[in-house]
Amino acid sequence: MNRHLTPYLKKVAVLAMTSIFFLFLSDASADPKIYLDINAPVIRRLPVAIQLFKDLKQAPEDLPIGKELHETLSDDLSFSGLLQILDPTSFIEDPAASDTDPSKIRFEDWRIVGADVLIKGTYLRSGDQLQTIFYLYDVILQKQILAKKYYGKVSEVRRMAHRFANEIIKQITGEEGAFDTRIVYLSIAGGFYEIHIMDYDGYNDHVSLKEKPIIVAPKWSTDGEKIVFTSYREKNPDLYQIIAQTGEVQKISGEPGINTGGVYSPGGGRLAYVMSKEGNPEIYILDKYSKTPRAMTKNFATDVSPAWSPDGKQIAFMSDRAGTPQIYIMDYSGTNVSRVTSQGKYNASPAWSPRGDRIAFSSQTNGHFQIATIKPDGSQMILLTSNAGNNEYPSWSPDGRFLCFSSTLGGKPDIYIMNANGTNLRKITSNPAKNTAPNWSPGISVE
């Protein structure tokens, strides 16, 4: 067998979801104010001006840092669908002569260009170290809303911008953002199967595990500290997990037949997965402190692809018990089974929204798989894609506002992201491999 772990994965527990070791924050925010009601039927996009960031050292060689900060923050906020990013060429104030003191800012100049909200920032590089300070202002009230300071390596410049984008979303909506998150996915090329981890926007893509045997369905644990996957490294489809902090690979289940579809419950106390040790594939649950998995389904049908509800009380899954693959839900005890989908002859890969209000899945329509969502009670099915490719394996962002999935829209499988209503479609993988089975990481809570 040919396999290796990269050093990057050994840092994932720190760099992923639970903390950011290179950032130390100082907060100068005023009382919070909710600017946008994201639950309103119609949302007016908040016009925001993002001024070019000021280099305190005024070093020409550091201009790319300011450009990357500006572009990353602009892309994040634009993709949110909540803010309208104003054209910097319309700005009146000279960035080089700008001030961050609210008493010295000519807010009337920003009202003229149509801004309700203003973002400014400074940065200072010393060797490979970088300090950035971001400021958020209410132009109408002419006051500072938020200020954050970040320290880290120059190579982490995008993460600083992602983190402040999260702060902005938290400030204007009252809910967490998802910009400082990761997506794990499977990449196949040259006879190798690779587990990749990348930022939500496709940057900082790293190979975490590479081996010749087949790998299937990598998924994050709910604490971001493990990645569960299936591998044929021992000639059988067995279930494993990578411990992110150490890079250690542990076997979870190696029963005869398939061992796949592993997904941790919210809180991480239970693992749902699929085994076929007794013949046909059934869904099992392994409790954290138990070594004996319990069968949740037991029939002559194929029951696969478990997906937990956000409260951990129910599981969505795919079953062909009625003759064709459809989406069902059941209590985590295996009782109260009900069918969710009724349209289409093949519905697969359910993923429960973090908000609990919808289930995303792939639905075969006119010969192609499309991404759809539906309420858990089976009502209001909506097709989000309608292109000529196959669109599969949907996964929600931790804030429930975005979906990632794989699509052959461009010919070969690649990873795409879009807003949860199907807009703002973006391809985020650019390597020549076949890229599939994405899974969005948990989020970082903004303190």
Side-chain angles (χ1 to χ4, degrees), residues 7-19:
Y8 172 77
L9 185 57
K10 297 182 180 180
K11 298 190 294 182
V12 115
V14 179
L15 289 178
M17 296 337 100
T18 55
S19 64

Side-chain angles (χ1 to χ4, degrees), residues 1 211 213-216 230-238:
M1 296 183 188
E211 56 186 41
I214 295 171
I215 294 176
V216 179
T230 293
S231 173
Y232 284 72
R233 57 169 57 191
E234 295 182 10
K235 312 300 182 183
N236 188 67
D238 297 332

